[in-house]
Amino acid sequence: MRPKRIIEIMREQATGTEVTVKGWVRTRRDSKQVSFVALNDGSMVANLQIVVNPSLIDEQTLRRITTGACIAATGTLVASQGKGQSVEVQADKIEILGDADASFPLQKKGHTWEYLREVAHLRPRSNTFGAIFRIRNNMAFAIHKFFHDKGFVYFHTPLITGSDCEGAGQMFQVTTLDLNNLPRTEDGKIDYSQDFFGGQTSLTVSGQLEGELAATALGAIYTFGPTFRAENSNTPRHLAEFWMIEPEMAFYDIKDNMDLAEEFIKYCVQWALDNCMDDLEFLNKMIDPELIERLKFVTTHDFVRLPYTEGIKILEEAVAKGHKFEFPVFWGADLASEHERFLVEEHFKKPVILTDYPKEIKAFYMKQNDDGKTVRAMDVLFPRIGEIIGGSEREADYDKLLKRIEELNIPMKDMWWYLDTRKYGSCPHSGFGLGFERLILFVTGMANIRDVIPFPRTPGHAEF
Ligand code: ATP
Ligand code: MN
């Protein structure tokens, strides 16, 4: 008989029936007559209590029911007398499926996040990480559902790329050349024509450029895949490998783009509220007592929409009144997370979409405004996170785009295929990128991005 998952047992509440459950022992507590075993099978945050009567189970088996062990328990499901659970299993048979060595690293409660990262291969077996990864799964599903229901095409862009126009200096190189014996050209440079792809390649920092090709064919698309950035930023908001969702839409202007971004995030957060309440309540209790309130707030309030220039004014006024920022505030400055969070958390107390940034601090492909100084960028700024989405209306004019590419000395040989979108049937279009882990940070209330991805990659770390 297929064992029932604990979530089914809790849902059905079929007291009086015989059940078999399989899972991992979280804790064991012995009283005079019986032992109470908290069993978790990952299907939900709650443990199922297994009541073990030592007179029914042989001594050898009893001894092997330790924290971390995998067991199968068979017995009658009964209403629980104890508080904290509705039903429990009165076990008459226990089978040890896998013993846990006494060195099992998740013995105690209250391990530090740093310690848990060192045992990232086992931390999914803790309540908190179980909750986080179930929510992460739900968010991935919600994202596909949101776009699928709108008729967007899920489009797969390559992970290995030959162009380095976007992420110059922060890309991971991909090569099969022998690093100890590199082929050289006559002028002493590395001869990439002998490399696997016949040229220099890297891991992608974004699927956007290929996404634009797709949008100008299929109308509206999104990508959802891993991206890689070798930026050496040791912050709680950056990973070297992270997942990104990048919708790209023909015939959307920046306003349509903002509307979509706002609707999209609200949909995802509402999805969590509707489908992950057990896990959210657990995190609200254990991690952040304002979590659920914050999620509800975001789904029910309009995001502020504000030009960058206005944002700088607000920040300058704050500085004049004595507010201290680590980084300077002036028109033209790239905003740091402290500035973004000031606008969101202290000034507006709401999510903010900042638009029309100076062109110098934004990418070459953003649509140039008539003022000659700003571009039609839009960043969505969130409480506790700062930037969660970065996007823009794209420059659709071939000549303007080409001029910008030349001004920035972006190698043209890499860009011919991208420019073709503007050469053949160019159209107004827009898109944005949502960092998946930043969304998970927001929805779980966790403080460090390394704790919302199963196996984080950061400078110096690629274990597991
Ligand atoms: P930031 O200024 O925070 O470094 P960015 O401007 O480099 O971000 P974009 O290139 O606009 O980011 O990427 C789109 C989105 O991807 C960001 O809004 C953010 O949510 C996410 N993101 C960017 N870099 C990282 C990273 N290193 N780790 C995790 N998420 C990231
Ligand atoms: Mn950005």
Side-chain angles (χ1 to χ4, degrees):
M1 193 176 69
R2 182 180 71 89
K4 281 224 157 127
R5 298 203 78 192
I6 289 173
I7 193 168
E8 296 174 75
I9 290 174
M10 297 294 200
R11 197 185 296 132
E12 291 166 7
Q13 301 273 319
T15 48
T17 61
E18 195 192 72
V19 293
T20 295
V21 283
K22 297 184 181 181
W24 294 268
V25 175
R26 282 289 157 78
T27 57
R28 167 178 172 175
R29 185 165 53 85
D30 296 331
S31 77
K32 273 192 210 95
Q33 280 87 41
V34 289
S35 296
F36 298 100
V37 175
L39 198 69
N40 193 285
D41 68 357
S43 62
M44 68 185 302
V45 70
N47 302 319
L48 181 59
Q49 176 156 287
I50 313 293
V51 184
V52 183
N53 183 337
S55 66
L56 300 175
I57 311 291
D58 71 273
E59 216 176 297
Q60 171 71 1
T61 303
L62 266 182
R63 245 184 290 125
R64 293 163 67 193
I65 307 176
T66 60
T67 297
C70 184
I71 68 168
T74 302
T76 312
L77 192 72
V78 298
S80 179
Q81 269 92 59
K83 56 177 175 347
Q85 66 268 326
S86 52
V87 290
E88 62 191 24
V89 175
Q90 295 280 356
D92 42 49
K93 186 169 159 240
I94 299 283
E95 191 187 340
I96 307 292
L97 302 175
D99 291 289
D101 190 88
S103 61
F104 183 64
L106 303 177
Q107 295 288 353
K108 299 193 300 277
K109 287 203 170 106
H111 291 304
T112 64
W113 301 118
E114 289 77 10
Y115 171 77
L116 289 165
R117 272 171 229 148
E118 287 166 21
V119 291
H121 60 309
L122 291 170
R123 67 180 182 170
R125 292 223 209 144
S126 70
N127 291 331
T128 301
F129 284 94
I132 292 166
F133 296 138
R134 276 186 299 271
I135 291 173
R136 190 179 161 106
N137 164 61
N138 268 278
M139 289 295 93
F141 183 78
I143 286 162
H144 284 301
K145 178 148 173 57
F146 176 82
F147 286 117
H148 183 81
D149 288 353
K150 283 192 178 301
F152 281 50
V153 173
Y154 177 30
F155 191 77
H156 296 101
T157 51
L159 299 192
I160 297 175
T161 171
S163 65
D164 68 350
C165 49
E166 256 232 278
Q170 52 168 37
M171 301 183 91
F172 291 101
Q173 199 173 327
V174 175
T175 182
T176 53
L177 293 178
D178 178 357
L179 297 183
N180 293 309
N181 185 20
L182 289 167
R184 301 276 173 182
T185 57
E186 270 165 25
D187 54 0
K189 295 210 173 97
I190 295 166
D191 183 7
Y192 283 109
S193 70
Q194 294 188 42
D195 205 347
F196 188 90
F197 297 106
Q200 196 176 353
T201 52
S202 313
L203 293 176
T204 187
V205 295
S206 158
Q208 180 197 317
L209 302 187
E210 291 91 348
E212 285 186 53
L213 300 176
T216 54
L218 297 161
I221 64 97
Y222 69 105
T223 71
F224 186 174
T227 44
F228 309 87
R229 295 191 186 178
E231 51 194 350
N232 205 348
S233 33
N234 255 310
T235 80
R237 282 176 297 279
H238 289 89
L239 290 163
E241 176 182 286
F242 65 99
W243 289 65
M244 186 147 60
I245 298 94
E246 294 181 278
E248 192 72 38
M249 300 75 62
F251 318 119
Y252 272 51
D253 65 15
I254 188 171
K255 162 126 192 337
D256 303 323
N257 204 21
M258 286 192 277
D259 291 344
L260 183 75
E262 181 168 343
E263 185 191 347
F264 172 48
I265 298 204
K266 285 178 168 167
Y267 180 92
C268 293
V269 174
Q270 189 62 49
W271 186 278
L273 288 167
D274 292 342
N275 296 279
C276 310
M277 211 27 146
D278 278 2
D279 287 322
L280 288 178
E281 275 170 357
F282 176 80
L283 295 171
N284 200 79
K285 194 168 81 194
M286 305 301 291
I287 306 287
D288 178 355
E290 284 158 19
L291 174 64
I292 292 176
E293 211 180 300
R294 199 180 315 113
L295 299 184
K296 287 186 175 158
F297 182 89
V298 161
T299 59
T300 49
H301 287 77
D302 289 341
F303 297 2
V304 174
R305 299 179 183 197
L306 186 80
Y308 168 93
T309 302
E310 301 294 314
I312 289 291
K313 271 190 207 141
I314 293 168
L315 293 169
E316 282 174 341
E317 278 161 24
V319 171
K321 284 191 196 136
H323 192 94
K324 296 262 181 294
F325 291 113
E326 191 185 336
F327 296 99
V329 175
F330 57 93
W331 197 94
D334 202 355
L335 297 186
S337 157
E338 55 170 348
H339 305 131
E340 297 169 342
R341 292 182 61 179
F342 179 87
L343 292 173
V344 171
E345 291 167 25
E346 296 185 42
H347 190 81
F348 290 108
K349 300 188 165 39
K350 274 183 187 191
V352 174
I353 310 185
L354 215 55
T355 60
D356 303 294
Y357 283 70
K359 66 175 186 214
E360 283 74 23
I361 57 171
K362 288 292 178 188
F364 70 93
Y365 49 69
M366 297 190 179
K367 184 172 170 69
Q368 298 160 34
N369 282 321
D370 293 337
D371 63 10
K373 292 192 298 194
T374 59
V375 289
R376 243 166 253 184
M378 48 150 263
D379 281 8
V380 181
L381 313 179
F382 250 48
R384 298 178 84 252
I385 310 288
E387 180 187 331
I388 192 165
I389 281 181
S392 68
E393 183 171 344
R394 318 306 189 190
E395 181 55 75
D397 183 279
Y398 182 87
D399 295 322
K400 283 190 187 167
L401 185 62
L402 187 63
K403 188 155 162 278
R404 195 72 190 128
I405 287 175
E406 283 166 352
E407 277 168 12
L408 293 171
N409 289 318
I410 295 166
M412 276 298 298
K413 63 169 174 33
D414 294 343
M415 295 309 297
W416 64 272
W417 53 268
Y418 180 70
L419 279 163
D420 272 2
T421 51
R422 277 57 168 182
K423 201 158 133 191
Y424 305 120
S426 186
C427 69
H429 62 288
S430 298
F432 59 81
L434 167 77
F436 187 49
E437 285 75 18
R438 296 217 183 150
L439 175 68
I440 309 301
L441 268 182
F442 181 72
V443 172
T444 58
M446 294 295 289
N448 194 311
I449 200 163
R450 295 156 204 227
D451 299 327
V452 296
I453 187 166
F455 303 106
R457 269 84 181 96
T458 53
H461 292 284
E463 304 94 342
F464 314 112

